[in-house]
Amino acid sequence: MNGQKKRQLKTYLILAVLSALLARVFCSDADSHPTTDVCSTNTILPGPKGEKGERGNPGEIGKLGKEGPMGMKGEKGDPADVGDQGMIGKIGPIGTKGEKGCKGLSGPAGGKGKAGSVCDCGRYRKFVGQLEVNVARLKTSLKFVKNVIAGIRETDEKYYYIVKEERSYRDALTHCRIRGGTLAMPRDEASNSLIADYISKSGLFRVFIGVNDVEKEGQFMYTDNTPLQNYSSWKESEPNDASGHEDCVEMLSSGAWNDVECHLTIYFVCEFMKKKKTDLQRA
Ligand code: GN1
Ligand code: CA
Ligand code: CA
């Protein structure tokens, strides 16, 4: 033990004696007073410093440190290898039409044809022409029938039909006749009124009827060459044969008759006889 340590030990001993004495002075009636920290123990001085402890065990692995700042931009890399060949692209739009090519050379001549037969072409042409006429007539008849279905008037004995086609008296009569009728021949007040009503209800003003004095001036006849008998419906002051050539007759929407020139082209009214019924059919 060196001198310094001896002095330290001596100091500790002195301090220990002094503290024991002080404890006796201040704590002599310890049993009658509440206990204090100072008096709860007899030793209040620290002991001598111990020896240096053994080296400790190594600590646990520390936590992962914070992410560092972004590094500097690297150098540009070396160029990559050439890639594989790509797929074939989509088909493009249709191109514009090319120029017309040059005319080709003539082909070899064909073989000789067979001998033809004698053709009566004139006869066939005539036949075809007749067919065309018939077709045209059928078309006209069809048109007529369609119009007939659209509007017709009738009595017990006859059908009346106004043809809304402007015709001269002669053409109008032909039109009615080729359809199995004739121009209307009103022979009494009943049939005359019926036709007059038909004209006005059709929104018309005048139509040809089947009366004329073509054969003899002033002697009016029906188209079936029968004379006017007990009945006529002349307008006042008619027939007047104005211009000296009024030989055909029209009926006005009032039912009155007037003589006019036959070449006048106006609508006309046809009549068709109904088939006579037998007694059995009438019964
Ligand atoms: C008409 O247009 P005008 O007056 O010449 C008619 C005659 C009549 C007459 C009566 C084509 O002749 O038939 O009798 O009125 N002519 C025509 O005034 O309608
Ligand atoms: Ca006349
Ligand atoms: Ca007249």
Side-chain angles (χ1 to χ4, degrees):
M1 191 176 291
N2 59 24
Q4 192 184 354
K5 281 204 174 181
K6 278 181 183 173
R7 275 195 301 277
Q8 277 183 344
L9 190 57
K10 199 175 173 181
T11 308
Y12 285 140
L13 283 171
I14 292 167
L15 285 170
V17 172
L18 277 173
S19 77
L21 287 171
L22 284 169
R24 183 155 297 190
V25 170
F26 290 109
C27 305
S28 56
D29 55 351
D31 294 334
S32 58
H33 295 279
T35 307
T36 64
D37 285 342
V38 174
C39 301
S40 63
T41 177
N42 292 329
T43 309
I44 59 170
L45 293 174
K49 188 178 180 182
E51 295 287 319
K52 188 180 179 184
E54 290 180 7
R55 183 184 176 86
N57 295 324
E60 293 177 1
I61 296 171
K63 289 184 180 174
L64 194 66
K66 283 186 183 172
E67 187 177 324
M70 183 187 279
M72 299 279 284
K73 187 179 178 184
E75 296 278 318
K76 187 177 179 184
D78 294 330
D81 294 334
V82 176
D84 293 333
Q85 185 174 2
M87 305 269 279
I88 294 173
K90 285 183 184 172
I91 192 163
I94 296 169
T96 50
K97 193 175 179 183
E99 301 260 326
K100 188 178 180 183
C102 299
K103 189 178 178 184
L105 297 171
S106 300
K112 193 177 179 184
K114 289 179 183 174
S117 57
V118 179
C119 169
D120 187 359
C121 294
R123 210 174 123 221
Y124 286 118
R125 275 197 205 102
K126 196 176 170 189
F127 181 66
V128 170
Q130 190 57 49
L131 278 177
E132 282 172 348
V133 170
N134 289 347
V135 168
R137 279 185 185 156
L138 279 172
K139 279 182 180 173
T140 313
S141 298
L142 188 63
K143 187 180 169 190
F144 177 77
V145 170
K146 279 181 181 173
N147 290 336
V148 165
I149 291 166
I152 201 165
R153 295 295 173 99
E154 63 180 305
T155 62
D156 284 347
E157 296 171 345
K158 296 175 184 175
Y159 294 110
Y160 295 97
Y161 178 61
I162 293 176
V163 181
K164 292 176 181 172
E165 291 176 27
E166 291 177 338
R167 294 280 187 274
S168 67
Y169 183 92
R170 216 177 71 167
D171 289 350
L173 181 58
T174 305
H175 187 108
C176 296
R177 280 183 173 163
I178 62 176
R179 285 164 180 80
T182 185
L183 278 171
M185 300 177 288
R187 294 179 196 272
D188 52 39
E189 179 58 31
S191 56
N192 204 78
S193 298
L194 183 143
I195 296 167
D197 184 64
Y198 190 10
I199 296 167
S200 66
K201 292 272 172 55
S202 301
L204 303 175
F205 173 65
R206 50 158 51 163
V207 295
F208 272 130
I209 57 171
V211 179
N212 69 80
D213 70 339
V214 174
E215 285 294 315
K216 192 175 178 189
E217 177 56 38
Q219 195 171 325
F220 285 90
M221 312 272 283
Y222 288 112
T223 55
D224 63 355
N225 290 322
T226 55
L228 299 185
Q229 292 169 328
N230 305 323
Y231 182 77
S232 66
S233 182
W234 293 111
K235 190 182 173 189
E236 194 183 340
S237 308
E238 304 294 347
N240 61 358
D241 201 38
S243 80
H245 301 288
E246 291 191 329
D247 297 338
C248 293
V249 178
E250 65 177 3
M251 185 193 289
L252 306 177
S253 54
S254 62
W257 299 358
N258 172 40
D259 58 340
V260 289
E261 294 187 2
C262 298
H263 62 76
L264 191 72
T265 53
I266 57 174
Y267 293 167
F268 52 98
V269 56
C270 301
E271 68 169 41
F272 302 88
M273 289 296 291
K274 288 184 176 178
K275 276 184 184 173
K276 281 186 179 168
K277 289 180 180 175
T278 62
D279 291 343
L280 199 65
Q281 284 172 320
R282 252 185 244 113

